[in-house]
Amino acid sequence: QVQVMESGGGFVQPGGSLRLSCVVSGTFVSIHTMGWYRRAPGNQRELLATISKTGTANVAESVRGRFTISRDYAKNMAFLQMNNLNPEDTAAYYCNAWEVIDGNFHDYWGQGTQVTVSS
């Protein structure tokens, strides 16, 4: 089994910053891409950023310039640095990781970490 665990969420005032962490553990072969998503109440899941095993990073236009994704390949971790947060960023944030084994796609999700931005 593969486990994905997020951490780093919490309560922050507008304009503040948070750094989310995600670690993948268990039995996997080689994680290709890790990514961050979020879902606010009443909204659909939103892709925020991804980073591939080659280091190619993509950040959604909606958060570009405020959010940065990075990865520690040795530790199977990904990070989401979030700056200048505003109340619209309040959501549950989820980490995703995927790999391909013998041509089969394997998709792993964490349980999420809550981020609340409020004064």
Side-chain angles (χ1 to χ4, degrees):
Q1 276 193 327
V2 176
Q3 294 80 41
V4 178
M5 181 172 294
E6 306 96 339
S7 61
F11 183 93
V12 63
Q13 292 186 336
S17 298
L18 281 176
R19 186 185 190 226
L20 304 183
S21 299
C22 171
V23 59
V24 182
S25 61
T27 306
F28 57 89
V29 177
S30 178
I31 298 297
H32 186 285
T33 294
M34 297 183 71
W36 287 96
Y37 294 73
R38 70 184 177 189
R39 176 173 283 166
N43 290 357
Q44 292 186 335
R45 186 176 64 193
E46 178 186 10
L47 171 62
L48 299 174
T50 61
I51 185 165
S52 74
K53 67 187 305 181
T54 61
T56 299
N58 291 287
V59 180
E61 187 174 356
S62 61
V63 297
R64 196 172 298 157
R66 298 192 299 123
F67 290 12
T68 303
I69 189 170
S70 60
R71 189 167 166 180
D72 184 329
Y73 294 88
K75 297 181 179 179
N76 297 305
M77 296 186 71
F79 307 94
L80 186 68
Q81 177 66 43
M82 306 186 295
N83 298 327
N84 193 22
L85 288 161
N86 58 64
E88 289 68 39
D89 295 315
T90 295
Y93 284 69
Y94 298 90
C95 179
N96 170 265
W98 63 263
E99 62 178 338
V100 177
I101 304 173
D102 296 330
N104 296 310
F105 178 82
H106 296 262
D107 198 28
Y108 312 118
W109 289 91
Q111 294 296 309
T113 185
Q114 179 67 33
V115 171
T116 302
V117 185
S118 176
S119 56

